[in-house]
Amino acid sequence: MVAVKKLHQLLDNEKRSQKAFLNEIKALTEIRHRNIVKLHGFCLHARHSFLVYEYLEMGSLARMLEIEEYAKEFDWSKRLNVVKGVAYALSYMHHDCSPPIIHRDIKSNNILLDSQCEAHVSDFGTAKILDLNSSNWTSLAGTYGYIAPELAYTMKVTEKCDVYSFGVLSLEVIMGKYPGDFISSVKSSDPSVEMGIQLKDVLDQRLPFPTPHVKAELIRVAEIATECLNYIPKSRPTMHMISKVLAAAQAPNCIGLIPKDLGKLTSLEKLWLNGNHLSGAIPVEFESLTNLEFLDISSNKLCMSLPRNLGIGFSKLNYLNLSHNNFSEELPILLMSLFHLSKLDLSYNSLTGEIPSESSKMQSLEVLNLSHNHLSGIIPTTFEEMHGLLHVDVSFNELHGLIPNNNAFLDAPLEALQDNKGLRKKHRYPHLEQGDKHERGSLFVSSNFDGREMYEEVIRATETFNDIYCIGKGGYGTTYQAKLSSGEMVAVKKLHQLLDNEKRSQKAFLNEIKALTEIRHRNIVKLHGFCSHARHSFLVYEYLEMGSLARMLEIEEYAKEFDWSKRLNVVKGVAYALSYMHHDCSPPIIHRDIKSNNILLDSQCEAHVSDFGTAKILDLNSSNWTSLAGTYGYIAPELAYTMEVTEKCDVYSFGVLSLEVIMGKYPGDFISSVKSSDPSVEMGIQLKDVLDQRLPFPMPHVKAELIRVVEIATECLNYIPKSRPTMHMISKVLAAAQAPNCSLQLEPSFE
């Protein structure tokens, strides 16, 4: 099995450099490293060109981090190993190859994983072999968000370009997502002083908090990554230095059985064996460890059943983590009766049977995780006697029936109870009332629906937010499709506990939601209502069948059907919606998160602006300072140094979005170069390079409209907010451009 990457006519515009490029490919077929994908060869043909690589079954690192199920299995040990593997590969390329090789496109999509989650650097199509006797100037290559900042003003390639990208990648692995906000704030933070305190905010919340020695390694990686992001290339460390530091921090992996002789260490108080390749069973000799207080054997390959006598000698044990193994059969009653145990994690195993009623004897227990097993039956009511229990997770089992009347269960998020055979909660606030009479209980604001009925309808239609109804996930919530009893389809966006950290602003936020239910525009998604509840909060929108603009542009088949006429119509629709919000609403409404994921399309590909969860209603008598909201890459640059929200923030995002619609992808490279180009003079020449290549070149009158959109979009990207046009002005120009055979004159601020 091999992987074949067909290039997008890469060499057609580089005839002069074709020979040099092929020489580089030949050289790359000679390099060998365990963390570099083997390149078998390269074919250049008049019809098409392609690279032939070895095939790696687990796919890309980006995929591993993006898919929830895989990300939870991708533990800290595996993630640290990936970071180290990439470091070793880059160190080899920069320092052990002669001449050195610069990858130029290090990103999560280009790191492939084998069956053991070992990292392999791939995609050398843009790699550069350094000429030690040359300055190595070249054309820009790489991916926006990972490219070193100096490439915005110089085309000189050095090893330090890869070092910057490695820093971004390392943070992405730790955070589980692109670290845009962290990168923006890195200038104002001193990682060597603050990183230990900040670590909990940086780590991927889908994984349990790391044990002390793993935490130390993660801090080291975060510190190194921060150094890699230094704006001065010479101040970044070398990959050779980085690989040495990471190798020194790496404890050797243990394999085989757990030694029985460990049972002789009767004075042992703490034992970490997590993140290795240990197999077999837990030795019965462990019952002799009577002084043991802390035991972590998670993330190994242990199997068989848990010993029935496990727990006999653990009278002092207060922490036990056996997660991410393959233990089977029933939970030992002795283990589930330990009085001093405060945290027990048995998640991600293959345990079966019922939860013992004797679990109530764990009177010191604060955290219990039994998720991702095969436990069945009901949850014992004896849990109601466990008054110290704070957090539980029993998701992904086969449990059913009412959950215990215990605060840990009653306050648990739905995610901690999901994917069972019918767990039910008793509502502590059964009588939901319209308006805001319940300060703590619940609130439903709705335009056309009875609040109480809508709440119950949503819970029923989504089966308490079952994943099978999920149609999208974002930074602020997860969206579900729900079919009401009337037959009407709605979209329900369940917020990620948005209001829990904003108690003081809750009332103001709800007032904004009420106002948004009153606005009406053909290019704005209709918001039916908003529910705030002790358990969860959600927004209810009209349902639009074609999904998001981002999806339309991403899927090849849809993108080819998404012609220039439809794309121009989408740009205009968004402009009309924003013009209405900014200029026709009193007070004005600022969206604050205009991006392709938040533009929904109906069956006619008409644009509808959605996701007003972060919208801001301007107070005309105030300076409108607020917390940062939006999506990295679309946020106006002034929000890096001021928190004052104005309409011009949306104008900037509209510029990014408009270019994305025309280019068919995020316009990162265009934005980076916009300072050095004069669009009014050069854009006609550049248009062919800006257009989405999946569509045929436009007819003359459509081409003129596209040029006008690109010109407007470029003006929207002006770093000085006051120099950007207003959405009212933009919508007028676009509306005028829509009429056939008319002569247009741009307004002065566009000149």
Side-chain angles (χ1 to χ4, degrees), residues 78-89:
K78 292 174 182 173
R79 296 192 189 203
L80 286 167
N81 204 40
V82 163
V83 171
K84 292 168 186 173
V86 176
Y88 302 154

Side-chain angles (χ1 to χ4, degrees), residues 252-272:
N253 279 330
C254 301
I255 59 174
L257 304 176
I258 298 177
K260 295 180 180 180
D261 288 347
L262 283 176
K264 297 178 181 179
L265 304 175
T266 54
S267 298
L268 194 65
E269 295 180 355
K270 296 183 179 181
L271 177 59
W272 286 276

Side-chain angles (χ1 to χ4, degrees), residues 331-379:
L331 293 167
I333 292 176
L334 284 172
L335 175 63
M336 301 300 289
S337 307
L338 293 173
F339 180 80
H340 289 290
L341 200 60
S342 62
K343 179 174 180 179
L344 175 60
D345 191 346
L346 299 173
S347 61
Y348 291 92
N349 280 291
S350 301
L351 298 167
T352 60
E354 299 186 354
I355 301 173
S357 59
E358 289 84 355
S359 301
S360 61
K361 294 180 181 178
M362 295 190 288
Q363 286 296 306
S364 302
L365 195 68
E366 296 179 352
V367 179
L368 174 64
N369 192 345
L370 299 175
S371 65
H372 293 84
N373 281 289
H374 305 293
L375 300 172
S376 57
I378 64 170
I379 301 174

Side-chain angles (χ1 to χ4, degrees), residues 68 418-419 461-474 477-482 491-494 496 543:
E68 199 82 6
Q418 69 181 343
D419 279 85
T462 61
E463 294 180 15
T464 317
F465 298 105
N466 192 307
D467 280 349
I468 64 173
Y469 298 100
C470 177
I471 56 175
K473 294 185 178 181
T478 302
T479 304
Y480 300 82
Q481 175 182 318
V492 180
K493 181 164 187 176
K494 180 176 174 289
H496 297 317
Y543 178 75

Side-chain angles (χ1 to χ4, degrees), residues 37 63 164 212 266 318 329 366 372 376 399 404 439 471 542 553-554 567 608 635 655 677 701 704 706 714 728:
V37 172
R63 176 173 173 266
Y164 181 92
T266 54
N318 60 59
E329 299 188 30
E366 296 179 352
H372 293 84
S376 57
L399 301 166
E439 291 183 8
I471 56 175
E542 67 174 315
L553 293 172
E554 184 179 352
R567 296 192 188 202
H608 298 253
I635 299 175
S677 69
H701 71 282
L706 290 169
T714 306
H728 180 64

